[in-house]
Amino acid sequence: MFNFIKKTKQKHTAFSSDNAPLQTAVDQVLQQANQQDPGNQLTGIKSQGESVTLDLRLNGDVDPEEIHRQLGIALQPYGVKEVNLNVTLPPKSASRPANMKTTAGIEPVSNTKGAGNKLPKTTNAAAPKAESASEEPAITKRAPMQSSLQPHPRIKHVIVVASGKGGVGKSTTTVNIALALQKLGNRVGILDADIYGPSMPSMLGVEGVKPQLENEQFVPIEAHGLAMLSIGSLLDGDNTPVAWRGPKATGALMQLFNQTNWPMLDYLVIDMPPGTGDIQLTLAQRIAVTGAVIVTTPQHIALMDAQKGIEMFNKTSIPVIGVVENMALHTCSNCGHTEAIFGAGGGEFIAKEYQVPLLGQLPLAAAIRSQADKGEPSVIANEGKGDDYAEFYVDIAKKIETNIAKFAKQRDDGRIF
């Protein structure tokens, strides 16, 4: 917990053109906060290496810790690993109740965002400073890193399946990889982190099934032997939109992960939304991830976005297990002619460029799509025997199994899996 201290004297740092991108990112965070608590303002910014110090004037009702967390997420893509805050709070209100006492002359700040959720009174543990002191120490908290996160006590490996853009078959690949890992004898769960476009309930044939609550925790839905949970399982219907801003969407993801009674799992496969936004950064800072699988097509535009995804995982210290090239070849069902519709060699190029394995090349086939639409993906089609394309996914799962040990998180909880 921070000691957010009311400033009586504030030294403002001049803005400079070098900090313009950082200033824009900070302004976006504050603009979002101002929609509910107007009056929050950036008054100064100073960057040095991987550290940035921000002078903020915050409304008395805002949650400074939440602001700090959002700033850490927003600034991380710019190479910022440490965010320091100099916080100026509003002057004491004349309407403050007489029985609201202060400690060491510091005003308590209330947080009205939730019932019973208030920022505790702050105390100044340091010796009182002379009135001539021009500046108080900055409030410092380093953004969480993967190395500092504890693995989930019941999950051995967390694998995220991601892509830089949509439309590359990421979700279909995710569900088939999860089922293939299960076919190899593993206990597997699947978490649909695509908050805005959840598709796992439909692909696994459990749309409309609601998760049960037990001791204020979700019980995962059983789907073809997988322990599955998705925001789509909590919505009223398939056409219900999730029109949430970033903080609410990331909060939903963390609730699905943390407030679910996951069984003992060898793998939890997380289907990520496309892009490199709030959800991806929140997951990187708050969930211990074993590694990422990148899905792309050979198309040049898709490869450009896939590279951005790999760069994001590199910056957040999440290892990339490998690349899956989807829609690599199409064979005409009438004449048998095979053609690389989206180009050739893209997956091999990006794997070589970043020195990661090419886990597999998947064909562009109507049967893969139709099986997923029916809720019986290729790996478990034909009453569990699999269709003609199941072996592609099983081969990918075998390569993940072979290499997963070198990415495994160190555990200090004494558990043996």
Side-chain angles (χ1 to χ4, degrees):
M1 182 64 66
F2 304 117
N3 289 335
F4 286 94
I5 301 174
K6 178 184 175 184
K7 300 289 185 180
T8 56
K9 295 183 180 181
Q10 180 71 41
K11 180 180 179 181
H12 300 294
T13 305
F15 296 102
S16 69
S17 58
D18 293 340
N19 292 328
L22 302 181
Q23 181 184 349
T24 300
V26 174
D27 287 341
Q28 289 176 348
V29 173
L30 295 182
Q31 182 180 4
Q32 202 169 61
N34 282 335
Q35 292 178 0
Q36 294 187 351
D37 299 309
N40 304 298
Q41 182 182 2
L42 172 67
T43 59
I45 182 171
K46 183 178 181 181
S47 62
Q48 184 175 3
E50 297 179 342
S51 174
V52 63
T53 300
L54 305 175
D55 298 338
L56 301 180
R57 186 182 300 277
L58 298 182
N59 187 301
D61 291 335
V62 79
D63 183 352
E65 287 200 56
E66 177 62 20
I67 291 290
H68 187 276
R69 187 183 72 83
Q70 291 296 328
L71 289 171
I73 294 173
L75 296 180
Q76 192 168 36
Y78 300 96
V80 175
K81 295 185 178 179
E82 181 176 321
V83 178
N84 304 320
L85 301 183
N86 289 328
V87 178
T88 300
L89 299 178
K92 178 173 64 177
S93 172
S95 61
R96 180 172 63 86
N99 61 354
M100 185 181 291
K101 297 182 180 180
T102 62
T103 305
I106 302 163
E107 297 295 328
V109 181
S110 64
N111 174 14
T112 59
K113 290 188 176 181
N117 180 18
K118 294 186 176 181
L119 190 67
K121 296 178 181 179
T122 58
T123 58
N124 187 359
K129 291 191 173 185
E131 292 184 1
S132 59
S134 59
E135 196 172 302
E136 295 186 19
I139 303 165
T140 304
K141 185 178 181 182
R142 184 177 293 274
M145 302 295 290
Q146 277 289 312
S147 58
S148 66
L149 299 177
Q150 285 296 318
H152 193 287
R154 295 189 298 277
I155 301 172
K156 188 174 182 181
H157 299 298
V158 173
I159 295 177
V160 297
V161 182
S163 64
K165 68 187 299 295
V168 298
K170 172 185 52 59
S171 295
T172 303
T173 303
T174 299
V175 72
N176 276 293
I177 287 177
L179 289 167
L181 286 169
Q182 179 183 250
K183 183 167 278 191
L184 295 178
N186 297 289
R187 299 162 296 180
V188 183
I190 192 165
L191 173 61
D192 192 352
D194 196 347
I195 302 298
Y196 299 111
S199 55
M200 286 300 119
S202 177
M203 287 188 176
L204 288 169
V206 290
E207 63 270 25
V209 179
K210 302 290 184 182
Q212 299 295 314
L213 280 174
E214 185 177 282
N215 298 325
E216 298 184 353
Q217 285 195 316
F218 293 114
V219 177
I221 296 170
E222 194 278 332
H224 302 299
L226 300 176
M228 189 281 298
L229 195 62
S230 167
I231 192 69
S233 304
L234 305 175
L235 301 178
D236 294 332
D238 292 339
N239 60 348
T240 303
V242 180
W244 292 344
R245 295 189 182 275
K248 190 170 183 180
T250 56
L253 168 63
M254 295 311 303
Q255 185 176 5
L256 290 175
F257 180 79
N258 290 321
Q259 292 183 227
T260 297
N261 187 20
W262 297 105
M264 299 294 287
L265 297 175
D266 296 305
Y267 293 93
L268 177 66
V269 183
I270 301 181
D271 182 34
M272 298 295 292
T276 54
D278 282 351
I279 291 179
Q280 287 84 350
L281 290 173
T282 295
L283 179 141
Q285 291 185 341
R286 301 179 65 182
I287 296 177
V289 178
T290 305
V293 173
I294 303 295
V295 179
T296 185
T297 65
Q299 185 181 9
H300 175 66
I301 299 300
L303 292 172
M304 290 173 59
D305 291 331
Q307 288 176 306
K308 295 173 184 176
I310 294 176
E311 291 286 357
M312 185 204 71
F313 287 122
N314 287 341
K315 288 183 178 180
T316 54
S317 301
I318 294 177
V320 176
I321 298 174
V323 175
V324 174
E325 183 184 79
N326 197 20
M327 308 180 193
L329 292 172
H330 171 66
T331 301
C332 179
S333 57
N334 289 327
C335 66
H337 173 68
T338 298
E339 183 178 3
I341 295 178
F342 292 104
E348 295 175 348
F349 168 79
I350 198 172
K352 183 178 180 181
E353 180 77 10
Y354 288 94
Q355 299 182 352
V356 296
L358 179 62
L359 298 176
Q361 293 173 296
L362 302 170
L364 176 62
I368 296 177
R369 186 269 310 160
S370 63
Q371 288 298 142
D373 287 348
K374 290 193 301 184
E376 297 179 359
S378 293
V379 173
I380 57 167
N382 300 324
E383 298 181 351
K385 297 177 183 178
D387 62 15
D388 294 338
Y389 307 100
E391 197 59 34
F392 287 96
Y393 298 104
V394 174
D395 287 343
I396 293 172
K398 288 178 179 177
K399 291 177 181 177
I400 293 175
E401 281 263 79
T402 300
N403 296 308
I404 197 67
K406 62 185 177 184
F407 302 115
K409 295 288 185 181
Q410 296 296 321
R411 296 177 175 271
D412 57 7
D413 56 7
R415 293 180 179 268
I416 299 176
F417 288 91

